[in-house]
Amino acid sequence: MEVLNESVPQAVSKSQKNGISTGGKILIAATGGIGIGLSIVCASFVAPAFRRICLPYVPATSEQIQNVLSFLPKAADGKLLDIGSGDGRIVVAAAQHHRALRTDGVELNPWLVYYSRLAALHHGVSKQTRFFRQDLWKFDIKDYNFVVIFGVEQMMQDLEHKLVAECPHNTKIIACRFPLPSLQHVKIIEDGVNTVWFYDVKKESGNS
């Protein structure tokens, strides 16, 4: 009987060890999976810092959005493009305020593109909006009547060259935070970081 009594706790002990070992493996696997997932998501936000020209994700303020919308005609139609559209708030807001306007966004971060599409669906403008995951320097902008830019100072010169070369002669350009270095703006709303410049490519071409 003494031998039997000793064998029972040994069996329980082995069972407990096996249980802890299995649970530990599950916990390690889960932690590792979460870590990899977070690394993949974070990499999309960190990667722009290693590009020649860094365009970080900085959400537009409510005032900036209103300033952009104020430059759009009341009966605006055609197509609008937001370059570096981030979380899509400019594209969605323009679609909500101008139902005859087709609004698109181009953004390199896939997670922001997915979020933008969900936001458009949530606000009921998914059929009016499109979001492209592409490099803005390779994106064709020649079909757009309005182009919105939330850029950084280092990119504005190169971006101006692209706009002048590709935009049709009826394109209106709305630049936020930083102006285009050479083009003469038609209007401006000045308020620190919320400053917005309005350019008319047709008028600029007529002056040159």
Side-chain angles (χ1 to χ4, degrees):
M1 291 297 294
E2 291 181 356
V3 174
L4 289 176
N5 289 337
E6 289 178 357
S7 64
V8 172
Q10 287 178 358
V12 173
S13 177
K14 288 181 180 180
S15 176
Q16 289 176 340
K17 288 182 180 179
N18 289 337
I20 294 172
S21 177
T22 302
K25 289 179 181 179
I26 293 174
L27 181 60
I28 291 171
T31 303
I34 293 171
I36 293 172
L38 289 174
S39 298
I40 293 172
V41 173
C42 291
S44 300
F45 290 89
V46 175
F50 297 95
R51 299 174 66 85
R52 183 176 67 86
I53 298 177
C54 175
L55 183 58
Y57 166 56
V58 181
T61 66
S62 298
E63 187 173 351
Q64 286 171 337
I65 294 173
Q66 290 305 314
N67 289 345
V68 169
L69 295 178
S70 71
F71 282 131
L72 298 177
K74 291 183 179 179
D77 58 5
K79 297 173 66 176
L80 176 145
L81 174 68
D82 184 10
I83 294 179
S85 55
D87 60 9
R89 61 183 65 191
I90 289 288
V91 175
V92 170
Q96 288 178 309
H97 283 75
H98 302 279
R99 291 292 179 174
L101 189 66
R102 178 81 195 190
T103 60
D104 296 346
V106 56
E107 168 63 47
L108 194 58
N109 187 320
W111 304 105
L112 292 176
V113 171
Y114 299 147
Y115 178 88
S116 299
R117 291 171 180 168
L118 288 174
L121 182 64
H122 174 72
H123 291 286
V125 292
S126 59
K127 293 182 179 180
Q128 191 182 340
T129 60
R130 293 181 300 178
F131 295 93
F132 301 94
R133 182 182 177 260
Q134 290 188 34
D135 187 330
L136 67 89
W137 302 108
K138 299 176 182 178
F139 191 82
D140 188 355
I141 61 176
K142 71 178 186 299
D143 294 329
Y144 291 93
N145 309 97
F146 301 93
V147 177
V148 181
I149 308 161
F150 276 82
V152 293
E153 191 171 11
Q154 301 93 318
M155 71 181 290
M156 300 309 286
Q157 182 71 64
D158 291 340
L159 190 54
E160 181 180 298
H161 292 160
K162 178 178 175 65
L163 292 167
V164 171
E166 297 183 21
C167 283
H169 292 317
N170 63 343
T171 300
K172 310 298 187 289
I173 301 170
I174 303 170
C176 308
R177 298 197 178 113
F178 293 96
L180 296 169
S182 301
L183 290 181
Q184 181 61 44
H185 63 265
V186 177
K187 298 177 184 177
I188 182 174
I189 298 176
E190 296 186 82
D191 187 15
V193 295
N194 295 319
T195 301
V196 178
W197 293 263
F198 180 81
Y199 303 87
D200 190 330
V201 174
K202 182 178 181 180
K203 186 172 291 188
E204 183 71 20
S205 300
N207 292 336
S208 59

